[in-house]
Amino acid sequence: MEKSAFRCVECNKNALELHRDYSNGILKITLCDSCQKPVDKYIEYDPVIILIDAILCKTQAFRHILFNTSLNIHWKLCVFCLLCEAYLRWSVLHQGSEQSSDPADIIRYTKEWDFYGMFGLATLELVAFCGGVFCFLWLSVGLLGAGPQPLDHQQLLRALLLSCYGKVLLIPAVIWEHDYSPLCLGLIKLFVLTSNSQAIRVVLNSSRRLSLMAVIAGLLSETCMDLIFQKLSQNLPNLLTFW
């Protein structure tokens, strides 16, 4: 990571280094020139503590992960979460249906294609969400100058994908295959949106209102994509019959 990319986790000011390496392996954490606090206290913390603070949506933990680490698992995490979400939707769709072990059973292949359809729908919803967020921020920050910092599309996309880690909570539902409580799934969705809002706020160093409005814009875009997909699914048999 380039030195210019370091940020103080307390005041968000740029820093040249996180620590100094003296002789005999002695490390000393660098103090921020602005707030006189450690630039990044999390470099001494256990990863579990960092994860807990990230789950609690602490600004310092988000700054550490987004600015002071080279964590590049956002694409892998994104695909993994999409697979879990697709399997959850697919299992709900076919809940109570009879299972067949016959390799030549056409119903089995139909169910398999349904899973691919659910994965595609989850991917489209994520693309729509990110697109809605980007469009809103481009209008508010890029054109109107509502944010204190310019819009970094690559960093913002990385932050949005990493902040979707809350979807990993879908894993227990996938493993245990119990009835899926709408309240439980709603709470997971709310947690993911809260993390998205905090990630936007940290990347742009903006107000909480701006980040919340960006998340709402992304959620509206995602909902519109879901409604369009449902309409197409309902009208597809009629279109095939017409042709």
Side-chain angles (χ1 to χ4, degrees):
M1 178 176 291
E2 299 179 357
K3 291 183 178 181
S4 60
F6 294 143
R7 298 280 185 89
C8 175
V9 298
E10 301 293 340
C11 65
N12 200 44
K13 297 296 183 180
N14 293 330
L16 296 177
E17 57 185 0
L18 299 180
H19 60 78
R20 292 184 179 180
D21 189 358
Y22 295 95
S23 59
N24 300 324
I26 299 177
L27 298 178
K28 183 179 180 182
I29 297 180
T30 305
L31 296 180
C32 177
D33 295 333
S34 178
C35 64
Q36 299 302 317
K37 294 181 180 180
V39 173
D40 193 344
K41 61 183 179 181
Y42 286 104
I43 61 177
E44 291 186 325
Y45 284 21
D46 189 88
V48 177
I49 303 298
I50 300 175
L51 178 61
I52 292 175
D53 283 356
I55 292 175
L56 295 175
C57 292
K58 289 189 176 181
T59 304
Q60 294 88 342
F62 273 70
R63 285 175 180 158
H64 165 76
I65 295 173
L66 296 176
F67 297 129
N68 298 338
T69 64
S70 299
L71 193 63
N72 292 318
I73 63 169
H74 47 287
W75 290 114
K76 296 179 181 179
L77 179 64
C78 174
V79 173
F80 181 74
C81 291
L82 288 175
L83 287 173
C84 291
E85 187 173 357
Y87 181 81
L88 183 63
R89 296 184 180 189
W90 176 81
S91 58
V92 171
L93 182 64
H94 295 286
Q95 192 173 14
S97 61
E98 297 181 357
Q99 302 293 331
S100 175
S101 59
D102 185 3
D105 189 1
I106 189 173
I107 298 179
R108 180 183 176 186
Y109 287 100
T110 302
K111 293 179 180 179
E112 183 178 346
W113 280 108
D114 285 340
F115 172 77
Y116 297 144
M118 293 298 102
F119 180 81
L121 175 59
T123 303
L124 288 176
E125 288 181 355
L126 179 60
V127 171
F129 175 80
C130 294
V133 171
F134 273 94
C135 289
F136 175 83
L137 292 178
W138 178 73
L139 290 173
S140 58
V141 178
L143 296 182
L144 302 179
Q149 292 184 359
L151 190 60
D152 186 345
H153 297 84
Q154 184 176 0
Q155 181 74 306
L156 181 59
L157 179 61
R158 175 173 173 263
L160 285 175
L161 295 181
L162 285 176
S163 60
C164 289
Y165 67 92
K167 293 183 179 180
V168 177
L169 296 174
L170 295 171
I171 294 178
V174 173
I175 294 177
W176 291 319
E177 297 183 352
H178 289 303
D179 292 335
Y180 313 113
S181 170
L183 177 61
C184 178
L185 299 180
L187 290 176
I188 293 176
K189 182 68 174 180
L190 179 61
F191 174 73
V192 172
L193 294 176
T194 303
S195 299
N196 293 149
S197 175
Q198 183 71 325
I200 296 171
R201 183 186 176 200
V202 167
V203 171
L204 298 180
N205 193 27
S206 62
S207 63
R208 184 175 285 107
R209 176 185 296 180
L210 179 65
S211 62
L212 286 176
M213 291 177 65
V215 168
I216 292 174
L219 186 60
L220 291 176
S221 177
E222 177 184 337
T223 304
C224 291
M225 176 62 68
D226 190 24
L227 293 176
I228 292 174
F229 185 85
Q230 291 180 8
K231 289 292 184 179
L232 289 177
S233 300
Q234 293 174 358
N235 296 329
L236 184 59
N238 297 331
L239 292 176
L240 293 177
T241 304
F242 174 77
W243 287 104

